[in-house]
Every structure is written in structure tokens, then in C-alpha cells.
Amino acid sequence: MSDSGQEVGALQLNLGPRSRIAGRDYYEGRVPDSIKVYLATMPSDQLDEEAIDNERLFYYRFGVDVPQSAREQMIALKRQHGLTDAECRWLRRSGQLRITRDAARLVPDRLVPAAAWVYALTLAFAFVNSLLIIGMSDAPAWKQALGSAITTALWLGAMWFINRLFWAPWRWVRGIGTNSK
């Protein structure tokens, strides 16, 4: 209100979804503190569109730097099969998602779960032997318990990694294959 008791109108201009001018007093813009904040607050569809044109954003999301044609195919695969960014990264690490300069495609490979079983059985043999050696040693009970706990924790960590790198991506690709038929 002004001194004369009349209400003064304020003009507000909306200039797009991210900035505005309100009451001629300030300019408001949205600038995220970090890329993690940006990724956490933006809609997935908008991030996908921006990642096609912005190779740095694509690299941050998927961990690979490829030309625009491969980025388009990667985003199309992600949308078609409903994959998350983390699933795409793990699929690429496992070799189930092949990204080249020209193309991005899902490649189900039966050697991946077979390799996982070989690694798991080899680790099981090594860790069970370690636990037996620790259990049959003449060390005090607290040292045996500590050694067994550390060995078991290492074994569980290795099995978690084998699951994330081999078994889980295989299940995702197999599920995609049964859903797309």
C-alpha cells in the first residue's frame, strides 16, 4: 500500500520455468550447488533429454563418453526397458550393455553368470579354508573370533560385489528379455 492508502500493483513476469522477475526488486534463478543436487531435483525425462546433448552430463550419469548417436541409443534403451542410471552403469560394467562409438545395445551373455559361479566357488574354497585354519589354530579364543569375523566380512563383501557385477545384471537382462516378448 502507498502513503495515500491506495494499493500499488506489482508486475511479475515469468520468463521460462527456471527464472522470473518479481516486483522489479530482484532476479531469481535456479543454480544448483552441485551436479548431485541437479540430478536429484530434475525430472528424469528432462535429464535424459539434456544428457543426449550434454556429453559431460551423460558421462557423469553413465560413466562413459560416447558420441551423440550412441547417447541417443543408450537413452532409448534406458527408457524402453525402464532401467535406472545405476542399473545401466552395472550392466555396462558386467559387459551386458555394450556401448561403442556407433551403438548401444543389450547383449545377454551366458558366460557372465558362469564366471560368477566360478569366482564364488573359488572364493568359498579359499575362505572356508581360512576359517578352518583360524579355528584349528592355537591362538587365544578372542583372536580366533576376530580372525573369523574379519574373514567372514571379507567373504560377504566379495559375494556382494560378485552379485552386483555378475548375477544382478544377468537377472535384469533376463527379465528384460522375458518382458519384451
Side-chain angles (χ1 to χ4, degrees), residues 2-181:
S2 67
D3 293 338
S4 62
Q6 295 178 345
E7 193 169 318
V8 177
L11 175 65
Q12 179 174 333
L13 301 173
N14 291 324
L15 302 173
R18 295 188 192 156
S19 63
R20 68 183 180 147
I21 298 174
R24 299 181 324 252
D25 293 333
Y26 65 93
Y27 180 78
E28 182 180 286
R30 183 172 185 270
V31 179
D33 294 336
S34 70
I35 187 70
K36 290 181 181 180
V37 171
Y38 184 72
L39 291 174
T41 58
M42 297 304 293
S44 183
D45 291 336
Q46 184 175 349
L47 286 174
D48 289 344
E49 291 301 322
E50 290 178 9
I52 291 171
D53 294 328
N54 187 339
E55 63 190 49
R56 290 179 307 279
L57 179 62
F58 186 86
Y59 181 80
Y60 190 83
R61 287 178 72 192
F62 301 109
V64 64
D65 190 15
V66 292
Q68 186 170 359
S69 61
R71 291 194 303 259
E72 289 171 352
Q73 291 179 18
M74 175 69 191
I75 296 296
L77 275 173
K78 179 184 177 288
R79 287 179 175 173
Q80 178 184 359
H81 300 298
L83 299 170
T84 64
D85 292 355
E87 287 173 341
C88 291
R89 285 190 300 271
W90 281 107
L91 282 167
R92 187 182 60 80
R93 289 178 191 137
S94 73
Q96 304 284 320
L97 175 63
R98 302 250 169 89
I99 303 174
T100 62
R101 293 191 54 78
D102 302 327
R105 57 190 165 88
L106 285 172
V107 182
D109 188 359
R110 292 190 184 275
L111 291 177
V112 171
W117 281 108
V118 169
Y119 291 142
L121 292 174
T122 303
L123 286 174
F125 179 75
F127 281 111
V128 167
N129 281 338
S130 298
L131 288 171
L132 288 174
I133 290 171
I134 290 170
M136 295 188 320
S137 70
D138 293 334
W142 70 270
K143 284 186 180 181
Q144 288 182 357
L146 180 63
S148 296
I150 291 172
T151 302
T152 303
L154 289 172
W155 189 5
L156 291 174
M159 292 307 295
W160 175 86
F161 184 74
I162 288 172
N163 178 51
R164 290 298 286 178
L165 187 59
F166 297 105
W167 285 318
W170 171 251
R171 284 191 306 269
W172 298 331
V173 171
R174 196 178 60 192
I176 287 169
T178 58
N179 290 339
S180 64
K181 291 181 181 178

